Amino acid sequence: MTAASPALLDLTLPELTEWMVGLGFPKFRAGQVYTWLMKGKRPGEMNNVPLALREALAQNAHVGGVTICETLESPKDGTRKYLYELEDGNILEGVLLRYHHGNTLCVSTQVGCRMGCAFCASTGDGLIRNLTPGEILGQVIAVNADLGGGRSITNLVLMGSGEPLDNYDNTLKFIRLASCGDGLGISQRNISLSTCGLVERIDQLAQEGLHITLCISLHSALDEKRRQIMPIARKWTVAQTVNAARAYAQATGRRVIFEYALTNGINDTCQDADALATALKGLPSHVNVIPLNAADGSTLSASEHVEAFLKMLEDRGVSATRRRTLGEDIEGACGQLRRRRLQERAEKIPE
Ligand code: SF4
């Protein structure tokens, strides 16, 4: 740890300890500070540490997380959408999904995204910047605090704005921070990372010794069609993408999840089901089929043939289910809430 004025949430407990010892404080104080940080507390609120330490933290470091600036809750299913503000004023959104097996938080790894998927609201302005590990962790800490201060979040999906593998080092550090017993202690088996298919990074991820679930946004097993909706498909073919998934499954012993947003006239025919079944043959995998929830202004629309497509997959021996959609009544696809907030901000700026 070399930063002169570190973001505290970017640090592991050993890194925080080293930094605080360098400032002249005893080691055991780092454990106290770390416990407060994991509860979303600022230095001024750490009331079992000496005033001198609180002042030193405030003067020599910043927390580096997020602040919740808006919450919307679905009266239908309890899904909550959050708008967060970062220390530099950037805006992010997150979604809390409530399942019978626990609370799942969808976290973002970048502000914006440069991957350019045709249906996605996060990509409109391109990539603004990568999030630091502490800013990703800060989303979990903020929502835990909002839910009453315990460790209410049991599952994480890295499926908010941004391509996690395009912010590789920070994403990996976040996973280690979130799953570490010193901190939030979220089991890696309860963490899913969703990628649009950065093949070289999937290969790298397979060698990290993690136990997380890999989800790949495939959306079509036909190269020509996939290229129409996902620019990444111009770099990596379906075969290369699925081969990387096979290597991941082999290295980790974990099945791979494929996301498939069913889109009218694009990927919902027999030919598409055939291609998917052929591509995934022999691979321990599962397909999540969901009707497309396109961003405002997209020319793409949801297919009405979800059940029929699932039947086609079943007939071809592909493990697939319809993914439950939650929170539809409180703003649709990822990134839409943020776009609305940015528009409101722009409207307030006088010409
Ligand atoms: S779907 Fe994911 S990878 Fe594609 S543009 Fe949106 S955030 Fe980026």
Side-chain angles (χ1 to χ4, degrees):
M1 200 278 307
T2 54
S5 174
L8 297 172
L9 289 180
D10 283 344
L11 307 181
T12 61
L13 178 55
E15 288 169 339
L16 179 69
T17 306
E18 185 190 333
W19 179 74
M20 282 177 50
V21 168
L23 286 183
F25 293 98
K27 268 186 181 178
F28 79 94
R29 292 290 182 199
Q32 292 176 314
V33 169
Y34 202 72
T35 301
W36 285 117
L37 289 169
M38 293 304 113
K39 291 181 177 169
K41 300 296 184 193
R42 312 237 140 216
E45 300 171 295
M46 300 178 180
N47 58 24
N48 66 347
V49 302
L51 181 62
L53 173 52
R54 282 184 262 157
E55 286 176 352
L57 291 173
Q59 282 165 15
N60 296 292
H62 61 112
V63 173
V66 307
T67 307
I68 294 172
C69 53
E70 189 178 330
T71 308
L72 282 180
E73 179 159 329
S74 161
K76 237 168 75 182
D77 55 37
T79 298
R80 271 193 206 178
K81 298 222 172 177
Y82 289 96
L83 265 193
Y84 314 108
E85 186 162 353
L86 300 168
E87 287 180 351
D88 66 0
N90 269 303
I91 299 279
L92 280 180
E93 69 177 62
V95 188
L96 170 70
L97 303 156
R98 294 163 187 269
Y99 296 105
H100 61 273
H101 59 265
N103 289 321
T104 297
L105 187 69
C106 176
V107 295
S108 296
T109 52
Q110 297 178 313
V111 184
C113 183
R114 62 179 178 148
M115 294 297 137
C117 303
F119 44 82
C120 179
S122 298
T123 209
D125 302 320
L127 175 65
I128 295 168
R129 72 169 175 85
N130 284 331
L131 295 184
T132 65
E135 287 170 331
I136 311 173
L137 188 71
Q139 298 164 52
V140 191
I141 291 172
V143 175
N144 268 339
D146 187 55
L147 294 176
R151 292 182 180 183
S152 300
I153 307 294
T154 53
N155 297 61
L156 296 173
V157 289
L158 281 69
M159 210 180 267
S161 72
E163 163 53 60
L165 298 185
D166 191 37
N167 183 16
Y168 190 87
D169 292 344
N170 289 350
T171 294
L172 264 279
K173 185 164 186 188
F174 157 69
I175 291 168
R176 294 196 162 108
L177 285 170
S179 57
C180 171
D182 294 330
L184 301 180
I186 297 174
S187 166
Q188 288 187 5
R189 294 178 191 282
N190 293 350
I191 300 177
S192 301
L193 181 152
S194 176
T195 175
C196 65
L198 273 63
V199 165
E200 76 279 42
R201 292 300 195 184
I202 296 174
D203 290 342
Q204 194 178 346
L205 188 68
Q207 304 309 317
E208 298 282 358
L210 299 176
H211 303 286
I212 63 171
T213 299
L214 176 69
C215 306
I216 298 180
S217 297
L218 195 64
H219 306 315
S220 176
L222 293 165
D223 285 315
E224 204 177 309
K225 290 190 178 187
R226 195 164 184 258
R227 280 186 212 116
Q228 286 174 32
I229 48 175
M230 302 182 74
I232 193 72
R234 293 179 205 138
K235 183 164 183 196
W236 304 107
T237 63
V238 169
Q240 288 171 314
T241 308
V242 174
N243 279 344
R246 280 182 207 281
Y248 186 88
Q250 204 160 22
T252 62
R254 300 185 67 72
R255 73 176 182 169
V256 175
I257 307 295
F258 289 91
E259 305 289 344
Y260 199 97
L262 213 61
T263 308
N264 195 21
I266 298 277
N267 59 4
D268 58 353
T269 66
C270 268
Q271 187 203 13
D272 296 296
D274 283 339
L276 192 53
T278 304
L280 303 189
K281 200 162 186 219
L283 169 63
S285 61
H286 184 80
V287 180
N288 273 334
V289 178
I290 187 169
L292 178 81
N293 190 0
D296 292 345
S298 170
T299 53
L300 302 172
S301 61
S303 167
E304 288 169 4
H305 307 303
V306 175
E307 297 311 320
F309 192 73
L310 281 170
K311 178 77 175 67
M312 288 182 223
L313 293 182
E314 188 190 336
D315 292 345
R316 288 159 179 77
V318 177
S319 165
T321 44
R322 179 183 187 136
R323 202 175 78 196
R324 259 177 86 199
T325 45
L326 296 172
E328 282 176 311
D329 51 331
I330 50 164
E331 308 258 352
C334 64
Q336 289 181 2
L337 196 62
R338 173 176 175 270
R339 288 186 78 76
R340 174 176 55 70
R341 172 59 71 110
L342 293 177
Q343 265 162 14
E344 284 167 7
R345 261 193 192 173
E347 282 160 16
K348 277 188 196 147
I349 298 171
E351 289 184 22

